[in-house]
Amino acid sequence: QVQLVESGGGLVQPGGSLRLSCAASGTRLDYHAIGWFRQAPGKEREGVACISKSNTSTDYAESVRGRFTISRDNAKNSVYLQMNSLRPEDTAIYYCAATKIISQGQPVWQYWGQGIQVTVSS
């Protein structure tokens, strides 16, 4: 059974940094595309960042480009989201997702973590 577990969330002041981790069990993440998503109260879930299974490409939401970085450590079977220059509007529950399935050039997310809270506030 595949499980994804996020960690590293919490409360941070505006302008601060956090690094989220997504650790997997039951599968090797290096065979998967990985995505980070977030959902703020009263808003729809949105994609934040993704990385291809070959590590050849990454993509970011316009709202986080230049501030967030997605990366993976295959030896630790983990994926990370480094978040810098955090803003109050980054407050949300953050989820990681993984998939081997690409349909019409887009990932079809197979596995999801339980989510972790990130709060940016002074």
Side-chain angles (χ1 to χ4, degrees), residues 27-99:
T27 191
R28 292 293 310 174
L29 285 184
D30 42 343
Y31 301 144
H32 295 73
I34 306 296
W36 282 97
F37 298 79
R38 67 186 182 187
Q39 187 166 21
K43 295 188 176 181
E44 293 187 355
R45 185 176 60 196
E46 63 172 342
V48 174
C50 62
I51 185 167
S52 64
K53 63 180 180 180
S54 60
N55 280 355
T56 55
S57 67
T58 57
D59 197 15
Y60 298 90
E62 189 60 37
S63 58
V64 307
R65 187 170 290 124
R67 300 187 297 123
F68 290 12
T69 303
I70 188 171
S71 63
R72 67 166 89 218
D73 185 335
N74 291 338
K76 295 183 178 180
N77 206 26
S78 296
V79 177
Y80 307 99
L81 185 68
Q82 178 67 43
M83 306 186 295
N84 299 328
S85 302
L86 283 161
R87 304 167 180 168
E89 53 264 39
D90 295 317
T91 296
I93 298 175
Y94 284 71
Y95 302 87
C96 65
T99 188

Side-chain angles (χ1 to χ4, degrees), residues 9-10 12-14 20-21 40 48 57 64 77 82 87 97 106 110 117:
V12 63
Q13 291 186 342
L20 302 183
S21 300
V48 174
S57 67
V64 307
N77 206 26
Q82 178 67 43
R87 304 167 180 168
Q106 296 298 317
Q110 294 176 270
Q117 179 70 46

Side-chain angles (χ1 to χ4, degrees), residues 93-112:
I93 298 175
Y94 284 71
Y95 302 87
C96 65
T99 188
K100 291 182 179 179
I101 301 174
I102 305 297
S103 176
Q104 297 182 322
Q106 296 298 317
V108 179
W109 302 106
Q110 294 176 270
Y111 311 111
W112 290 85

